[in-house]
């Protein structure tokens, strides 16, 4: 019975993760709750038929629900632990008080570029134009051509600090610079942005027209 429930549990989790919003932890918790609510009646009913009718009391149903939730939350906690451990393992320089001074075009042969406020959070050795930003729980992954910096910051605040940068939010958790996108790749009824660095970022269908208007091509299926 448990083995038979693995398949519906997988599809329930996949559906909830795809539709829910918020952090990875929040979506994991919602998926675990949905799996318990969907499968507890099935397992309770199976035990009722196969074992003993004494399980018909509502207390035993609640007991089944709590046990299934406990089982479902174990991988949720494990995934959250590894996400947190990965983020904490990499120290992030606090440059919140650092003033960003654009290059002086009169004294520097390199033309001054538009420096957005979010760039002040970059590690000194990774400074440069931001190519993409991705949300990871309560932290951000900020990418440049030189590497990645992680900072504790809300994605909505990052979008505010990215105003004026040549790019856009392509998904609920991703912002990408236009010049770092090679093309849009159809994936069934969805899309993904194929990046020049070789990575892939999911793209909401509503964002596709804006990306096309920015000159991003759609790959042939």
């Amino acid at each position: 019975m448990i083995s038979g429930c693995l398949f519906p549990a997988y599809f329930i989790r996949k559906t909830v993760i795809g539709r829910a919003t918020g952090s990875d932890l929040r979506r994991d918790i919602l998926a675990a709750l949905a799996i318990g609510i969907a499968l507890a009646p099935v397992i309770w009913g199976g035990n009722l038929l196969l074992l003993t009718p004494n399980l018909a009391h509502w207390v035993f149903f609640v007991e089944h629900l709590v046990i299934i939730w406990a089982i479902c939350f174990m991988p949720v906690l494990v995934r959250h632990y590894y996400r947190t451990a990965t983020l904490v393992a990499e120290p992030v320089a606090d440059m919140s008080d650092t003033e960003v001074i654009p290059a002086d075009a009169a004294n520097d042969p390199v033309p001054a570029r538009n420096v957005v406020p979010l760039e002040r959070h970059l590690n000194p050795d990774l400074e440069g134009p931001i190519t993409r930003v991705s949300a990871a729980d309560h932290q951000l992954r900020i990418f440049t051509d030189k590497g990645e910096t992680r900072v504790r910051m809300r994605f909505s605040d990052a979008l505010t600090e990215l105003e004026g940068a040549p790019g856009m939010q392509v998904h609920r958790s991703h912002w990408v610079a236009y010049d770092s996108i090679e093309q849009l790749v159809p994936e069934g009824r969805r899309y993904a942005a194929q990046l020049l660095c070789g990575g892939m970022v999911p793209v909401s269908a509503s964002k596709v027209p804006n990306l096309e208007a920015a000159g991003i091509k759609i790959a042939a299926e």
Side-chain angles (χ1 to χ4, degrees), residues 81-94:
Y81 169 80
Y82 278 105
R83 290 193 199 106
T84 305
T86 302
L87 293 174
V88 172
E90 183 176 347
V92 177
D94 184 5

Side-chain angles (χ1 to χ4, degrees), residues 73-84:
F73 274 106
M74 283 192 290
V76 171
L77 294 176
V78 171
R79 282 191 292 267
H80 180 63
Y81 169 80
Y82 278 105
R83 290 193 199 106
T84 305

Side-chain angles (χ1 to χ4, degrees), residues 58-76:
W58 66 269
V59 172
F60 294 105
F61 171 76
V62 174
E63 180 179 297
H64 278 70
L65 181 61
V66 171
I67 291 174
I68 293 173
W69 273 342
I71 295 173
C72 292
F73 274 106
M74 283 192 290
V76 171

Side-chain angles (χ1 to χ4, degrees), residues 101-112:
I101 303 175
D104 187 353
N107 301 323
D108 195 331
V110 179

Side-chain angles (χ1 to χ4, degrees), residues 131-211:
T131 57
R132 67 183 174 103
V133 178
S134 297
D137 287 330
H138 298 293
Q139 297 204 8
L140 293 180
R141 303 174 64 190
I142 306 175
F143 296 84
T144 68
D145 290 336
K146 301 175 183 178
E148 173 188 352
T149 296
R150 295 175 186 252
V151 297
R152 188 169 296 277
M153 186 179 187
R154 294 187 305 177
F155 186 59
S156 58
D157 293 335
L159 293 177
T160 300
E161 295 196 4
L162 281 167
E163 290 182 1
M168 65 175 291
Q169 180 184 4
V170 299
H171 192 262
R172 61 173 174 266
S173 301
H174 300 280
W175 180 96
V176 183
Y178 294 133
D179 58 6
S180 67
I181 302 175
E182 181 175 353
Q183 62 182 352
L184 296 179
V185 180
E187 296 182 344
R189 301 173 66 178
R190 301 182 180 182
Y191 290 85
Q194 181 177 339
L195 307 181
L196 295 175
C197 65
M200 300 288 285
V201 173
V203 175
S204 299
S206 60
K207 306 294 185 180
V208 173
N210 293 335
L211 291 170

Side-chain angles (χ1 to χ4, degrees), residues 35-48:
I35 291 171
I37 293 173
L39 298 186
V42 177
I43 297 177
W44 174 65
N47 286 335
L48 184 62

